[in-house]
Amino acid sequence: MQPANSLPRVRLLATGGTIAGTQLLGGKRGYVAAALSADALLTAVPQVAQLARLEAEQVAAIGSQDMDETVWLKLAARAQAALDEPDVAGVVITHGTDTMEETAFFLNLVLRTEKPVVLVGAMRPATAISADGPMNLFNAVAVAVHPEMRGRGVLVVANDEIHFAREIAKTNTTQVGTFRATYRGLAGLVHSGRIHLYAAPVRRHTAASDFSLRELTQLPRVEIVYAYAGMRPDLIHAAVRTGAAGLVLAGVGDGNVNAACRAAAAEAAKAGVIVVRSSRTGGGVVERNIEIDDDALGFVAAEELNPAKARVLLQLALTRTRDPRAIQEMFHVY
Ligand code: GLU
């Protein structure tokens, strides 16, 4: 075993979530997310001390349903500061699973680093029978210190799997195998800290990304409108009227909406609001100009990004340009 002081340094940034959650007493069903501190999480996994020298920092203490742009910017700044320290090998971020895919994708687009950045959560609270948090955390630290994980962008570790930020989605309300990367697959597996690598990331990220935290003090407002049979255009009008700079349609099928909503969205695009067509299906590519004439209506197609991730990319894109063609190019690249 390596002597403790020669182990790599890893910064643990804690934000809350079920991994830090405790159940209510008396066998009740509920639990409180974000109840435990970063240090308490580490106490539950003394084995991480064999992998790395962990330095814990509490950035937030929230269930990730309360994650927002303010916390993203603070978290990204703290992560970048740690990554810029020459002898920090990587960063591990504990986070609720509800919005982990959005935070991971945001960080994947703004952090300037080749070092591993690993988000980790749990589906069962820390006090549950067979809590999944401790092993997930151990595995996340193992990934963060592994030399071959450099240059792979922001990763999510859960349930013995390593996922790319761009590819994962939470797909189940309660099961520990909730994260899936249906189309481009896993980055790898991690079994009790032993890593098996599969793929490399396919799109631009981290060190090669053009987005930056510099001068970013807030993000533009982008709303998501969910499509369904019988959808009315009122929520599209409301988003525009209340000042949204961008609109993501969680469209039916191939990013579709009915005629009335298409007209409302076209009107919004004409007024300078960037309209991105994504899909509510959970899989597949939304391409340009198939059933909807994007060229004529001035829309952007989200490709494979789900509505929540399309919103993240659109928010960052809008910090650069309001030209729908330039933004479409970004959806091809990231
Ligand atoms: N709402 C919680 C959260 O996202 C529960 C999900 C979890 O952490 O697993 O923080």
Side-chain angles (χ1 to χ4, degrees), residues 16-19 31 33 62-65 95-99 122-123 170:
T18 297
I19 192 168
Y31 72 96
I62 53 177
S64 72
Q65 62 275 26
H95 195 291
T97 55
D98 286 356
T99 60
M123 292 300 284
K170 185 173 183 178

Side-chain angles (χ1 to χ4, degrees), residues 16-23 31-36 41 124-128:
T18 297
I19 192 168
T22 53
Q23 291 164 302
Y31 72 96
V32 183
L36 299 177
L41 293 184
R124 296 180 184 143
T127 53

Side-chain angles (χ1 to χ4, degrees), residues 69-286:
E69 290 87 346
T70 306
V71 185
W72 279 349
L73 291 172
K74 181 179 175 196
L75 178 62
R78 295 312 303 147
Q80 190 65 59
L83 294 160
D84 288 344
E85 289 182 38
D87 65 337
V88 166
V91 167
V92 171
I93 299 170
T94 57
H95 195 291
T97 55
D98 286 356
T99 60
M100 191 184 288
E101 63 205 68
E102 286 145 89
T103 301
F105 190 49
F106 174 73
L107 296 174
N108 194 52
L109 297 176
V110 298
L111 293 179
R112 282 282 178 286
T113 188
E114 295 281 344
K115 297 176 184 175
V117 176
V118 185
L119 274 77
V120 61
M123 292 300 284
R124 296 180 184 143
T127 53
I129 298 170
S130 222
D132 51 335
M135 180 57 90
N136 285 349
L137 186 52
F138 182 80
N139 281 336
V141 174
V143 169
V145 298
H146 199 282
E148 280 184 62
M149 300 313 300
R150 286 176 64 91
R152 288 172 188 269
V154 174
L155 301 160
V156 170
V157 167
N159 196 35
D160 285 6
E161 294 176 345
I162 312 168
H163 289 277
F164 296 118
R166 181 181 183 272
E167 314 305 339
I168 48 143
K170 185 173 183 178
T171 65
N172 187 285
T173 55
T174 37
Q175 291 174 355
V176 294
T178 187
F179 286 116
R180 296 260 171 84
T182 327
Y183 281 85
R184 293 180 189 259
L186 289 169
L189 294 175
V190 50
H191 295 142
S192 301
R194 298 180 307 277
I195 289 166
H196 305 269
L197 275 183
Y198 292 168
V202 290
R203 294 291 182 99
R204 201 180 290 176
H205 60 82
T206 54
S209 168
D210 289 319
F211 301 113
S212 143
L213 284 174
R214 254 173 309 167
E215 290 153 29
L216 206 59
T217 53
Q218 57 178 29
L219 287 162
R221 196 177 132 212
V222 171
E223 296 296 338
I224 299 173
V225 179
Y226 193 92
Y228 48 89
M231 181 188 187
R232 296 166 53 100
D234 304 56
L235 293 180
I236 296 174
H237 292 310
V240 174
R241 201 174 51 241
T242 55
L247 194 63
V248 173
L249 299 171
V252 293
D254 192 6
N256 270 317
V257 288
N258 62 30
C261 292
R262 191 169 63 234
E267 201 182 300
K270 217 165 164 203
V273 174
I274 301 296
V275 177
V276 174
R277 294 191 303 109
S278 176
S279 174
R280 71 174 201 184
T281 57
V285 183
V286 174

